[in-house]
Amino acid sequence: MTNSDRYHYTETQREQGFLVGVEMRAHRYQNGLLAIEDSLEELAALADTAGVEVVGGTIQRLNKPKSATFIGSGKVEELKAYRDELQVDVFIFDDELSPRQQRGLEKSLDVKVLDRTALILDIFARHAQTREGQLQVELAQLEYRLPRLTRMWTHLARQAGGRAGGATGGVGVRGPGETQLEVDRREINKKIAHLKETLEKVRAHRARHRARRRQSNILVVAIVGYTNAGKSTLLNALMQRVESDKASIYVADQLFATLDPTTRQITLPQGKEILFSDTVGFIQKLPTRLVVAFRATLEEIAEADVLLHVLDITHPNALEHARAVEETLRELNAADIPIITVFNKIDVLEEELTQLQNKLADYADSIPISAKTGRGTGELLQRIEQLLQEQLIDMTLRIPFDAGQLVSLLHEQATIKTETYDEFGAHLTVSVPEHLLSVFEAYREA
Ligand SMILES: Nc1nc2c(ncn2[C@@H]2O[C@H](COP(=O)(O)OP(=O)(O)OP(=O)(O)O)[C@@H](O)[C@H]2O)c(=O)[nH]1
Ligand SMILES: [Mg+2]
């Protein structure tokens, strides 16, 4: 989708959305989170990607959220006024609402109420391409909806309506709406169970595939970064460099354009073949439920040999984005994987670059690139090559006494984890730098 396509929705097709952000006083400048104004701007971009026309927004500062309606009652009244004045179809909250808060708000406001999670799920549902991706999103959506079923959320209502509709419940008799909800809940639970089963099979298949890849010993570089940083563009640029004719990857100025991992083989300058894997972007306040739902997909990242962190240096919140990415990597147990950071989109701001590099002093050895023009990509490939050469490889070795000098070499150049001796010689488990691999290959224990 190009920039202009985004505005092809007509007024009548697009729902009108109004954004609501809450800043907990204790949380201002909390590490890794955007300032509320920036967070709301990001929410607006998410809403836009989901096809909602944003007609306004408001912020409330609170000590803590209200358990029934999240925001204060005065704010609820204010939202009613906006609803009437701006013809709001949906209120979108920047934070995850509990089912109770969502019900409370929908009851008071009498229009649909969504939160950031629901919005991201909606975008994911639109962008999922592979079967696994689609199954994962559907499961996450159903699990999200189950505790939130109200009249406005019952998409199954019409199907099952014949059985449950009509009856008017007297005192103590369950109303038709509620019977309907029971039916829906049962249906959803059944669907959830079925989806989980199917996903298990798909995942087992993927795990076998990954295991085969491992055996072939080909190294994997996972491209990670904030959504819209230019990850897919970079992979396309790298592919072009090596003149591969593989189909290019979908690039768009929208959030979460990529959902399913795409892997491409690339030859490094000195001839080594490696795999690059482009995957789903990160975002601050990435709902844990989504991280869990996409765990299988995200395992691609956790199992990579090198991470390539793409940072959109032109974004005013670049530093916050970098922190959010690092936080997510920690959640995925991927924080220990060697990482190369690239500052992307430098074509946009030649002059300000030094200034920005100072701001991002923690990333001093980052590589400035433009995925769009290809600038810096040659240096990047060299850096990856260099890093891979420095990578250590785990080996179990049996070295006879007459090759004792090899044990000395290991002591100099490798990390020795265990070392024992018997009548044949030394028995070691070690991590060896790649360039020494050939030296020790013959002594490798099967
Ligand atoms: N000016 C400029 N724009 C770029 C550059 N790299 C990417 N872009 C633009 O940034 C937008 C996002 O690019 P993508 O490659 O789709 O970003 P992504 O990181 O894959 O995003 P998601 O898949 O949505 O997480 C697109 O409009 C690209 O054209 C660059 O080096 N310079
Ligand atoms: Mg992408």
Side-chain angles (χ1 to χ4, degrees):
M1 209 190 266
T2 64
N3 230 339
S4 57
D5 287 334
R6 288 162 62 197
Y7 302 102
H8 280 176
Y9 300 95
T10 63
E11 293 289 304
T12 47
Q13 279 172 318
R14 296 197 113 194
E15 280 182 283
Q16 312 229 46
F18 191 94
L19 312 181
V20 187
V22 166
E23 181 178 79
M24 302 306 157
R25 287 211 173 89
H27 290 188
R28 183 139 179 99
Y29 304 124
Q30 190 188 332
N31 205 6
L33 283 188
L34 293 181
I36 188 69
E37 296 81 7
D38 294 335
S39 190
L40 221 59
E41 202 164 301
E42 183 176 89
L43 188 68
L46 286 167
D48 182 56
T49 302
V52 174
E53 159 144 13
V54 176
V55 294
T58 183
I59 290 169
Q60 181 170 45
R61 300 200 154 79
L62 280 177
N63 286 325
K64 69 184 189 58
K66 311 280 176 224
S67 56
T69 52
F70 197 71
I71 48 173
S73 54
K75 202 68 178 177
V76 174
E77 290 310 309
E78 203 183 309
L79 293 188
K80 281 184 193 162
Y82 285 128
R83 176 198 63 199
D84 297 337
E85 190 188 329
L86 300 168
Q87 275 129 47
V88 174
D89 301 306
V90 52
F91 284 100
I92 304 173
F93 282 66
D94 194 34
D95 297 276
E96 189 158 333
L97 300 170
S98 73
R100 171 158 179 232
Q101 286 161 341
Q102 189 170 22
R103 269 196 300 274
L105 284 164
E106 281 189 340
K107 211 168 153 206
S108 309
L109 296 168
D110 208 28
V111 290
K112 193 159 59 173
V113 172
L114 298 180
D115 58 16
R116 183 179 263 258
T117 307
L119 206 54
I120 294 178
L121 280 170
D122 191 274
I123 297 170
F124 275 24
R126 284 164 186 245
H127 293 171
Q129 299 285 330
T130 62
R131 184 161 141 76
E132 183 179 17
Q134 285 159 354
L135 291 171
Q136 285 178 145
V137 183
E138 201 183 341
L139 180 60
Q141 275 185 316
L142 290 178
E143 285 182 335
Y144 174 84
R145 274 181 202 160
L146 190 60
R148 287 177 172 77
L149 280 185
T150 64
R151 268 177 305 119
M152 275 175 237
W153 279 89
T154 52
H155 302 294
L156 299 165
R158 244 154 286 131
Q159 268 168 261
R163 265 175 290 158
T168 47
V171 180
V173 178
R174 238 196 314 203
E178 219 157 330
T179 311
Q180 181 61 66
L181 290 183
E182 281 308 314
V183 174
D184 288 350
R185 274 196 195 107
R186 263 204 310 279
E187 290 291 317
I188 288 184
N189 271 321
K190 249 198 274 175
K191 258 189 144 166
I192 286 179
H194 179 69
L195 276 172
K196 280 186 172 161
E197 229 170 82
T198 320
L199 257 175
E200 261 331 297
K201 285 181 202 147
V202 179
R203 280 177 185 164
H205 177 77
R206 180 194 274 280
R208 280 197 298 277
H209 181 76
R210 268 210 311 264
R212 267 205 304 279
R213 203 168 71 193
R214 285 269 134 210
Q215 272 170 6
S216 73
N217 267 330
I218 187 154
L219 296 171
V220 178
V221 177
I223 305 179
V224 298
Y226 214 72
T227 180
N228 215 42
K231 301 177 292 299
S232 304
T233 310
L234 176 60
L235 186 48
N236 280 335
L238 294 174
M239 295 296 292
Q240 259 168 24
R241 260 199 92 80
V242 296
E243 288 175 294
S244 175
D245 49 4
K246 275 272 182 64
S248 70
I249 299 159
Y250 180 64
V251 164
D253 185 16
Q254 45 167 241
L255 305 183
F256 301 114
T258 308
L259 197 56
D260 305 294
T262 311
T263 303
R264 294 278 186 270
Q265 187 157 342
I266 285 182
T267 314
L268 290 174
Q270 290 180 33
K272 192 174 178 60
E273 298 280 334
I274 58 167
L275 292 177
F276 278 85
S277 185
D278 174 27
T279 184
V280 57
F282 300 161
I283 198 164
Q284 54 123 19
K285 298 186 184 171
L286 185 69
T288 314
R289 113 179 31 252
L290 281 184
V291 177
V292 171
F294 280 80
R295 191 159 283 283
T297 310
L298 294 168
E299 271 166 16
E300 292 277 339
I301 295 173
E303 290 188 7
D305 300 285
V306 173
L307 300 177
L308 186 53
H309 177 187
V310 182
L311 187 59
D312 175 358
I313 185 80
T314 68
H315 197 285
N317 293 123
L319 186 59
E320 289 82 359
H321 288 182
R323 298 226 168 106
V325 168
E326 283 159 7
E327 180 56 40
T328 311
L329 289 176
R330 269 193 293 278
E331 269 180 60
L332 296 171
N333 296 324
D336 293 333
I337 303 173
I339 188 162
I340 295 174
T341 304
V342 294
F343 286 176
N344 192 28
K345 310 198 186 179
I346 54 164
D347 53 296
V348 183
L349 35 70
E350 298 292 340
E351 298 95 63
E352 296 154 68
L353 196 60
T354 353
Q355 214 179 316
L356 281 161
Q357 269 168 326
N358 288 341
K359 185 177 157 201
L360 290 149
D362 288 352
Y363 304 90
D365 61 348
S366 61
I367 305 169
I369 64 158
S370 166
K372 197 167 189 168
T373 66
R375 204 179 125 190
T377 49
E379 195 197 333
L380 171 61
L381 287 179
Q382 276 171 12
R383 178 78 69 87
I384 292 171
E385 192 157 52
Q386 192 188 341
L387 190 69
L388 289 175
Q389 273 161 3
E390 291 162 8
Q391 293 246 315
L392 301 175
I393 290 142
D394 288 340
M395 297 178 109
T396 306
L397 303 172
R398 182 165 279 290
I399 298 176
F401 285 117
D402 62 357
Q405 79 284 1
L406 289 180
V407 178
S408 315
L409 181 63
L410 285 172
H411 277 275
E412 277 163 31
Q413 301 232 5
T415 312
I416 298 185
K417 292 174 181 160
T418 65
E419 181 174 10
T420 55
Y421 287 87
D422 57 21
E423 65 267 36
F424 303 109
H427 187 235
L428 305 111
T429 51
V430 291
S431 298
V432 187
E434 206 188 16
H435 68 274
L436 288 179
L437 204 61
S438 54
V439 178
F440 291 101
E441 200 56 60
Y443 300 95
R444 215 166 176 161
E445 207 172 57

